[in-house]
Structures are given as structure tokens and as C-alpha cells.
Amino acid sequence: MHLPSAFRLDLRRLILLFAVTTALLTLANTFYASYVTQRDLLIRQTLETNRVYAAKLADSTEGLLNLARQQLAYSVAVLAPVFDQPQKLMAETERLKTQTSIFNSTYVVSADRSLLAISPQALAKPGSVVNSDGAREAVAMRQPLVSQPFVSVIGRLVIAVSHPVFATDGRYLGYVGGSIYLRERSALDVLLSDHHYRDGSGLYVVDRQRRILYHHDAERIGEVMPGNPVIEAAISGDAGAQRVTDTDGVDMLTGYASVTSTGWGIVAQRPTEATLAKLHGLMLEILGNSLPVSLLTLLCIWWLSRLIARPLWQLASSARQMDSQPAAEQIRQVSSWYFEAAELKRAMLAGLAQFNHKIGQLNHDTITDPLTGLLNRRGMLARLEQWQAGNRPFAVIAIDVDHFKQVNDSLGHDAGDQLLRQLAQLMEQVARSNDVLCRNGGEEFMALLPETSLADACAVAERLRQCVADSPIPEGMSVTISLGVAHCPLSSAGIEHALKQADQALYVAKHQGRNRVVTAGAA
């Protein structure tokens, strides 16, 4: 049975089908592999960020509690000699409440749990017996402690920080304490509530009984959390990060840490979906950008399939006329180019590799000064954009060679170029590994020092100035530099302002006699 010619599967169609299928599968595999790699990287970065974040908040909470204990310890020294004087007890509770702002309320309780003084005074009357769990625990333990959450006599869910008071003869008099409200504004709430995302991410704190001490949803404070690996690890004193499913069934990327003195667990989490949301948009953008190239590739495949099939089609046509006289001549005239095609493929691959190398070199050249090897102004601005996006503070040093024109005029431009290269080398010797060194143009240079104070930047600038002054150029001529130092955001309103201040300080250094360092503040 013979198929119609329109449906006949010839070599050209076979090659086209195979090549298109291979190209689509390769594109899909590359796209998927890229997605998986980027997804795993984002998840690892988010887990590590949340782990560091939880550890930082655990340290901050520990510091807040230590400060509270220190304040109470100081009050004990004041209260012990006057424990039988109600007015002085009241004055000290007022001072403790007003001065520290750590506690929502402060109080003094006797050994029989009688309230001797309290601030604010409207909360309870002195002389009443305090029957809260925190009071009983403080009297029973007779040592500095942070209580478990309990409901106070006025119906608030609180934790109490207390310190025992002993007479000079060792007799237990009672304790002084402060309450931190869990469902209302407090120092602990202020510390933790500033760290909350708006994309479903959040932070919560639990005690050893898994009771929630802080949650961005105030209604959940006091609730006992069901056990999960993250909470169990945190309250057992561990720190780390895990990917878990929360009680609402949401896939979360979680970091956790422990507050050592209390055994509280601090958990910072972010939904996996929120973490990957930007990745999905990025992959769609990549796909959109790759479509024109993909269409062009398919067009080339179609053309190549015709080119590959043509010699065999010619041979087949000639084979059908083997009994004719011109058949031999027709076969000799068929262009059999397969070996040359393989060589061409190899040459194209070599050319592509060379092209990629040149593109990479071109990208490097666009941000690098060819004379000194330092970043040019474009590279410097790109780095500043990264720092600005991360709100990263830095110091900036503007540098200019004194009397550079005289070097060019007297020794020639080759000596001037050698001087600039030598200055770049000295800057690299003085700078740290993470400092950014740039040549703005001509004899103007700039150094960007991340996470560096203005005073430290001035010290670096002075070392560089002295190093240049002590290093003559090869022709023996002494050269000096003038430097202006500024800081962002310490001494400016933004990056452009900081750069401008550094230039102004450099201008002042020039007019004050050159060969000196001037800070933006001094300028």
C-alpha cells in the first residue's frame, strides 16, 4: 500500500522531527534544572536568614531580661534598709517603673505575700495579699527568677521578673518585682514586634511549656502550641533551621533559637510560597526572553534538515534512473558534504566558546579601568546600588594626586601612567579585602569602605597618604595626595550626598595646602 506523497515520512521530516523534539526536550530540561537550582538556593538562603534572625532576637531578649534583673538588683540594695518604710518603698517602685520602661508595673511584696507598694498605684491597694502564681513562685524560690506566664490579680496575662530582698542578718523580707504584660504593649512586645513580615511571615516565642509568649496575632498569646520538631528543638536549647508544616498546614521555612536563661524558644518563619514567589516571576521572564531565540533555533533546524536531506534526495532520484545514460554523471555531481558539515560544527562550537569568552572579557572591561585594574565609575556605581539596596553603611575616601599635571609635563605621560598604577598598588596594599577601590578618571580615585566608621576611615586615609608620601615614583620625584573622607549614612542623607561631601572635603584639603586628610565634618 502506497501512502499519498503528502503523508509520506521522508528523511527531511524525520530529521526535522528528531531535531525539534531534541531541542524542546533540552530547553525544558535546562529550564527545569535552572528552576530547581534557584529554588533550592532560595530555600537555603531563607532558612539561614531565619536562623540568624532568630538567634539575634534570642540574644536581644536575653539582654532585655538581664537588664531587668540588673535594675531589680539595684532596687534591692535601696529597699533592704527601708523595707519597713512604706513611703520609701512606694518611691522606689515609682522610680523603677518610670526610669527603666522595661516593666508595665513594679511592686514590692513581703515574705507573707502582702503587697507593700505598687506602681501604677491604681492597680491594687497596699496591704492586700498577692495570690498569683508568680508571687507564690517568687516567695517559694527566694532567688532571682523569670516566672512562667500567669494571670495576675487584675486579670492580665503576664510574666514576672523578681529579685529576693534579704535583711543584713540574712532574714528573708520579701521580693521586688516587675511585670511584663504579654497581650499589651510592653518592652518585650516592642523588641519583637518590629520584626514582622507582611507576606505571611512572622515570629513567635514560646516558653518551656510551649505556651505562646509573643505572637503577631495577639489573640494567640497564652495558647499552648502543639509539639513540632522546631519548638521541641528551640525549648531544649538548640538553634538551627528546618522546613516544616505549621498548624494551619502552611509549608514554612523556619529558623529557631533559645533564650538561655529562661528556656524560651524564638521561632522566625516565612512561607515557602512567599519565598518562591519572585522565582516564579523570574522563570516566566526567562522563558519569555528565550522564546525569540528558540523560534530562531527552530527555523535554523528546519533549514538544516532540508540541507542534510538534499544530497540523499538527489542520490535517490539518480538511483531511480540507474538505467539511463546520464545517471553516472548525475551521481558524480551530487555534493556529499557530511564530513565538512562535521568540521563546520566543530568550528562553530569553537567560535561560540570564543564568543562567550570575549563577552565575558567585554563585561569585565566595561567596569574596570584598563590602566590601574581598579573599578571604573560604572563599576563603583553598580556596587553602590547593591549597598543601597541592602541599607549597608560605608565610608568613602576621595583621593586626588597633588600636582599631577606637573608630573605629566616634566616627566611625560608614561611616567604619569606609572604613577597612577603605583598609586593603585599602594591603595590595594592599604585596603582590606572587602574594600572597593575605584578610579573615577584622570588622577581622581575613590575608596569605599563597607561597615567602617568615619574615624576608622580617616585612619585608613592617613595611612595611605603617608604610604604615598614615602614612596617616590621611579624617576625619584616625590608625590603626595589629598584625601576627603565622608560617611553614609552617618554624615549624609544618602549615597550621592556622601560622595559629594567626600569631594567637598577633598576640595578643602587641596585649598589647605594639599598632602592632607580632611573629613566631611571638618570641611
Side-chain angles (χ1 to χ4, degrees):
M1 180 178 180
H2 298 282
L3 294 174
S5 58
F7 299 98
R8 192 172 297 168
L9 197 60
D10 57 22
L11 180 61
R12 179 178 63 83
R13 290 184 175 91
L14 282 173
I15 294 175
L16 182 61
L17 178 62
F18 175 76
V20 169
T21 302
T22 302
L24 292 177
L25 289 177
T26 301
L27 177 63
N29 180 67
T30 303
F31 187 80
Y32 177 75
S34 175
Y35 171 79
V36 171
T37 301
Q38 293 294 330
R39 180 195 64 189
D40 293 344
L41 177 62
L42 281 175
I43 289 175
R44 289 196 300 270
Q45 288 178 338
T46 302
L47 286 172
E48 178 62 14
T49 298
N50 285 342
R51 182 194 67 79
V52 173
Y53 183 46
K56 177 183 176 181
L57 289 182
D59 290 341
S60 300
T61 303
E62 188 72 68
L64 176 67
L65 294 176
N66 286 336
L67 180 60
R69 294 186 189 99
Q70 292 170 8
Q71 294 292 337
L72 293 178
Y74 176 82
S75 290
V76 166
V78 175
L79 293 172
V82 297
F83 212 73
D84 57 347
Q85 301 180 35
Q87 292 298 326
K88 292 187 177 181
L89 296 182
M90 184 61 71
E92 178 59 18
T93 57
E94 290 286 351
R95 182 202 66 79
L96 185 61
K97 166 72 170 60
T98 304
Q99 182 174 344
T100 65
S101 73
I102 296 177
F103 304 111
N104 295 93
S105 64
T106 54
Y107 41 82
V108 179
V109 179
S110 66
D112 60 359
R113 289 189 280 110
S114 294
L115 183 64
L116 302 180
I118 187 170
S119 178
Q121 298 181 26
L123 296 178
K125 293 182 179 180
S128 58
V129 177
V130 184
N131 289 317
S132 65
D133 293 340
R136 286 192 291 269
E137 184 181 8
V139 172
M141 299 297 293
R142 297 188 179 186
Q143 64 182 17
L145 59 85
V146 178
S147 73
Q148 300 298 326
F150 65 92
V151 178
S152 68
V153 294
I154 57 175
R156 287 187 170 98
L157 182 64
V158 303
I159 56 173
V161 185
S162 62
H163 197 292
V165 182
F166 292 94
T168 55
D169 58 3
R171 181 167 43 89
Y172 178 67
L173 300 177
Y175 68 90
V176 59
S179 295
I180 300 177
Y181 299 165
L182 296 181
R183 289 198 178 104
E184 300 177 33
R185 195 66 170 170
S186 65
L188 182 62
D189 180 75
V190 171
L191 174 65
L192 300 174
S193 62
D194 290 339
H195 309 278
H196 172 59
Y197 298 107
R198 297 182 179 179
D199 55 4
S201 304
L203 177 83
Y204 62 88
V205 182
V206 296
D207 64 6
R208 285 193 175 98
Q209 283 68 45
R210 305 177 191 83
R211 186 182 301 276
I212 298 178
L213 304 180
Y214 171 80
H215 197 284
H216 64 272
D217 182 3
E219 294 297 325
R220 298 195 61 182
I221 296 177
E223 173 186 330
V224 177
M225 291 282 286
N228 65 55
V230 167
I231 293 178
E232 297 302 324
I235 63 179
S236 66
D238 293 336
Q242 291 187 37
R243 184 177 181 180
V244 297
T245 302
D246 67 5
T247 54
D248 297 325
V250 180
D251 188 9
M252 289 289 188
L253 303 176
T254 304
Y256 57 91
S258 176
V259 181
T260 306
S261 65
T262 61
W264 296 350
I266 295 184
V267 179
Q269 60 185 9
R270 189 181 191 193
T272 304
E273 182 179 356
T275 300
L276 300 180
K278 292 183 178 179
L279 175 61
H280 297 156
L282 176 63
M283 297 308 295
L284 289 176
E285 183 178 351
I286 292 175
L287 180 61
N289 291 334
S290 64
L291 281 178
V293 178
S294 300
L295 293 176
L296 180 61
T297 302
L298 293 176
L299 180 62
C300 292
I301 290 173
W302 173 80
W303 179 74
L304 286 173
S305 67
R306 291 177 59 87
L307 189 62
I308 293 173
R310 182 178 178 81
L312 293 180
W313 180 81
Q314 291 176 339
L315 289 172
S317 298
S318 299
R320 288 195 297 268
Q321 303 175 6
M322 288 293 293
D323 56 346
S324 63
Q325 291 182 352
E329 184 63 25
Q330 290 176 358
I331 292 175
R332 283 194 294 267
Q333 292 177 358
V334 171
S335 176
S336 180
W337 54 272
Y338 298 104
F339 175 78
E340 290 75 10
E343 288 297 306
L344 179 61
K345 180 180 180 179
R346 181 191 60 79
M348 290 177 64
L349 291 175
L352 181 62
Q354 184 179 9
F355 176 75
N356 289 335
H357 174 73
K358 289 183 177 180
I359 289 296
Q361 185 63 40
L362 180 62
N363 290 336
H364 179 268
D365 292 344
T366 58
I367 63 171
T368 305
D369 174 51
L371 178 63
T372 63
L374 304 182
L375 290 181
N376 58 21
R377 187 169 183 83
R378 177 180 295 178
M380 179 189 71
L381 293 177
R383 187 64 58 88
L384 287 175
E385 288 178 359
Q386 296 175 359
W387 291 358
Q388 186 178 33
N391 293 324
R392 192 175 186 185
F394 65 93
V396 54
I397 304 175
I399 306 163
D400 189 86
V401 180
D402 297 332
H403 303 298
F404 181 72
K405 186 175 183 300
Q406 295 181 6
V407 175
N408 279 336
D409 292 344
S410 60
L411 302 178
H413 289 281
D414 290 341
D417 291 346
Q418 177 61 28
L419 169 61
L420 297 180
R421 285 192 290 267
Q422 182 173 333
L423 175 56
Q425 294 171 358
L426 294 176
M427 291 173 64
E428 291 174 342
Q429 294 175 10
V430 172
R432 303 166 302 179
S433 60
N434 60 342
D435 293 340
V436 177
L437 307 178
C438 318
R439 181 190 177 196
N440 286 351
E443 69 274 22
E444 297 179 0
F445 293 79
M446 189 164 289
L448 307 176
L449 285 63
E451 313 293 344
T452 303
S453 66
L454 186 62
D456 290 342
C458 290
V460 172
E462 179 59 30
R463 286 200 306 272
L464 177 61
R465 185 202 64 78
Q466 188 62 48
C467 186
V468 172
D470 296 339
S471 302
I473 60 177
E475 285 73 9
M477 184 178 218
S478 296
V479 176
T480 62
I481 58 174
S482 299
L483 307 96
V485 185
H487 190 276
C488 178
L490 181 62
S491 61
S492 64
I495 287 179
E496 293 296 333
H497 193 196
L499 299 179
K500 183 177 181 180
Q501 283 191 326
D503 287 337
Q504 290 175 348
L506 174 62
Y507 181 80
V508 173
K510 288 287 188 180
H511 281 265
Q512 288 182 353
R514 297 181 173 84
N515 191 25
R516 67 190 61 222
V517 177
V518 174
T519 65

